[in-house]
Amino acid sequence: MEQKYELINSDYITIRNPITGRPVKLYRILALRDLSIRFDDTTEYVPGITSTIIPKYSIGGYIESIENLSTDDESWVGGNAKIFGGAVVTMDSLVTDDAIVYGNVVVEKTYIGGVNRTFSNDTSTNSNFRIHNSIFTDKSVVEGIGNSLIMNVVATNSALLKRNIGVLDTVITGGSFIVESTVNNSKLFNVSGIKRSTISNCNLFERFTYVDTTASDETNSSFIELNFINGK
């Protein structure tokens, strides 16, 4: 099989690893064959992201080593994106712009762009924070711990997902944030906030706030303001 990319040993930067505090050297990458990446299943709410062609000899972003970017699929790191630590970009994913991915994170069939920071501070050897078939753009911050899973999620425009353990089939837009929560089959729009909550099968629109709340299935939608404190 034709070699996919190589590290440009003469083009590197040194940054501090936020987890260990130690300096880490990152190398630019060079595509050695054409790459084609498609996002057909995740672009309903981000119509501008459908497919990307990476021509042969394109200059990419930065990785610490070949362990950070799959060598046998169409995945790519572009722009000034930085991948290091135990992070792995694989299964036809694209991480680009000024995105940063580090820690024990596996990115699969996912687009991460904009000024995004995706990481796991969990350094245990059995930690496996997976992001699958998702899109993160603009100023998103995604933090996972342990065996967290994000699947079929679209997050844009200053979204925050923190220590998420099971965030599935969700659309998050506006100035949204989710902290230490489990979210399933939900859509969150505009200015929203969820803290330490478990929510499933919810369509939440407009402006709302959840604090220390467990929401039931089929929660009402199109709220102006919701303040459920301690599940009440």
Side-chain angles (χ1 to χ4, degrees), residues 41-42 45 108-110 130-136 149-155 167-172 185-186:
D41 297 334
T42 54
Y45 292 90
E108 305 169 341
K109 292 183 66 63
T110 290
R130 292 178 55 230
I131 301 176
H132 182 85
N133 199 43
S134 299
I135 292 177
F136 296 93
L149 171 64
I150 291 179
M151 181 179 292
N152 305 329
V153 171
V154 177
V167 180
L168 308 175
D169 303 324
T170 302
V171 177
I172 303 167
N185 305 315
S186 299

Side-chain angles (χ1 to χ4, degrees), residues 108-145:
E108 305 169 341
K109 292 183 66 63
T110 290
Y111 175 95
I112 299 178
V115 186
N116 174 280
R117 187 160 59 98
T118 300
F119 65 98
S120 171
N121 278 324
D122 193 338
T123 58
S124 60
T125 56
N126 61 350
S127 172
N128 183 22
F129 173 30
R130 292 178 55 230
I131 301 176
H132 182 85
N133 199 43
S134 299
I135 292 177
F136 296 93
T137 65
D138 301 324
K139 297 180 181 179
S140 303
V141 177
V142 184
E143 177 185 353
I145 188 171

Side-chain angles (χ1 to χ4, degrees), residues 15-210:
I15 64 173
R16 183 181 65 86
N17 187 318
I19 298 176
T20 65
R22 299 175 180 174
V24 56
K25 185 179 288 188
L26 308 181
Y27 298 90
R28 283 276 192 192
I29 56 175
L30 174 70
L32 299 180
R33 62 176 175 85
D34 294 337
L35 302 174
S36 177
I37 308 171
R38 300 191 62 84
F39 300 98
D40 294 342
D41 297 334
T42 54
T43 57
E44 177 182 358
Y45 292 90
V46 191
I49 300 173
T50 55
S51 63
T52 299
I53 303 298
I54 309 297
K56 185 176 182 179
Y57 300 130
S58 293
I59 301 296
Y62 295 92
I63 65 175
E64 183 177 2
S65 74
I66 60 172
E67 302 299 325
N68 300 123
L69 177 61
S70 173
T71 59
D72 58 4
D73 61 15
E74 303 297 293
S75 299
W76 186 245
V77 177
N80 289 311
K82 302 171 182 63
I83 317 296
F84 55 95
V88 179
V89 179
T90 186
M91 290 180 62
D92 301 343
S93 297
L94 175 62
V95 181
T96 188
D97 299 329
D98 294 310
I100 301 175
V101 182
Y102 60 92
N104 293 328
V105 182
V106 179
V107 179
E108 305 169 341
K109 292 183 66 63
T110 290
Y111 175 95
I112 299 178
V115 186
N116 174 280
R117 187 160 59 98
T118 300
F119 65 98
S120 171
N121 278 324
D122 193 338
T123 58
S124 60
T125 56
N126 61 350
S127 172
N128 183 22
F129 173 30
R130 292 178 55 230
I131 301 176
H132 182 85
N133 199 43
S134 299
I135 292 177
F136 296 93
T137 65
D138 301 324
K139 297 180 181 179
S140 303
V141 177
V142 184
E143 177 185 353
I145 188 171
N147 292 316
S148 299
L149 171 64
I150 291 179
M151 181 179 292
N152 305 329
V153 171
V154 177
T156 66
N157 191 16
S158 301
L160 167 65
L161 289 80
K162 184 177 182 181
R163 295 178 179 271
N164 29 78
I165 303 176
V167 180
L168 308 175
D169 303 324
T170 302
V171 177
I172 303 167
T173 66
S176 304
F177 64 87
I178 298 175
V179 180
E180 299 179 348
S181 298
T182 299
V183 179
N184 298 283
N185 305 315
S186 299
K187 297 178 181 179
L188 312 174
F189 295 96
N190 297 327
V191 181
S192 55
I194 300 176
K195 292 184 178 181
R196 301 175 183 88
S197 300
T198 300
I199 297 180
S200 62
N201 299 324
C202 299
N203 294 313
L204 307 173
F205 306 97
E206 305 300 335
R207 182 182 179 90
F208 63 91
T209 301
Y210 276 23

